[in-house]
């Protein structure tokens, strides 16, 4: 059953970057399609289910070092594409993602909240 769309409180930006996702005996790779400090839309190569807990290793564009996010939960799934909510993240990872989102918004001249 699909979860209903709700309005988001954090700006979400389109992006195309590589990631690994791990959890419950699963190791997958995929592409981050959009992200915010609190949420992610992923196109992955391994199936996930709603409620699954995952850990991410994300390679943002023009960033020399990957970002590890150790607490995300699958919120919805449509085929290979799925949405994640960040439940737990280090302050360093959160600061890096926030800075990245802000830089993308600044470059695009947008302050949209999606």
């Amino acid at each position: 059953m699909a979860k209903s769309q709700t309005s988001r409180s954090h700006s979400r930006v389109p992006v195309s970057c590589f990631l690994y996702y791990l959890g419950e005996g699963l190791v997958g790779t995929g592409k981050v399609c959009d992200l915010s400090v609190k949420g992610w839309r992923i196109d992955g190569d391994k199936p996930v289910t709603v409620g699954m807990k995952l850990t991410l290793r994300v390679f943002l564009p023009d960033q020399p070092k990957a970002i590890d996010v150790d607490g995300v939960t699958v919120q919805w799934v449509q085929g290979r594409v799925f949405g994640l909510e960040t439940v737990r993240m280090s302050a360093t990872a959160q600061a890096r993602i926030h800075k990245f989102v802000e830089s993308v918004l600044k470059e695009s001249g947008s302050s949209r909240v999606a």
Side-chain angles (χ1 to χ4, degrees), residues 3-5 12 33-35 38 55 66 71-72 74-75 78-79 82 86 88 90 92 95 99 101-102 104-105 109 114:
K3 183 174 180 174
S4 64
Q5 294 281 346
R12 188 168 280 206
C33 303
D34 63 40
L35 70 93
K38 288 288 189 183
T55 297
V72 298
V74 178
Q75 296 297 307
Q78 290 183 321
F82 54 95
T86 304
R88 184 179 59 253
S90 72
T92 303
K99 184 176 179 180
V101 169
E102 290 300 312
V104 171
L105 288 172

Side-chain angles (χ1 to χ4, degrees), residues 20-32:
Y20 292 104
Y21 54 99
L22 305 96
E24 302 178 25
L26 169 78
V27 178
T29 61
K31 178 179 82 164
V32 180

Side-chain angles (χ1 to χ4, degrees), residues 26-75:
L26 169 78
V27 178
T29 61
K31 178 179 82 164
V32 180
C33 303
D34 63 40
L35 70 93
S36 74
V37 173
K38 288 288 189 183
W40 311 73
R41 183 167 52 97
I42 308 297
D43 183 353
D45 70 341
K46 297 285 194 271
V48 297
T49 57
V50 172
M52 191 178 255
K53 309 289 187 210
L54 300 175
T55 297
L56 309 179
R57 173 159 278 185
V58 183
F59 299 86
L60 292 177
D62 302 322
Q63 301 261 335
K65 191 174 171 188
I67 297 175
D68 293 327
V69 181
D70 64 356
V72 298
T73 303
V74 178
Q75 296 297 307

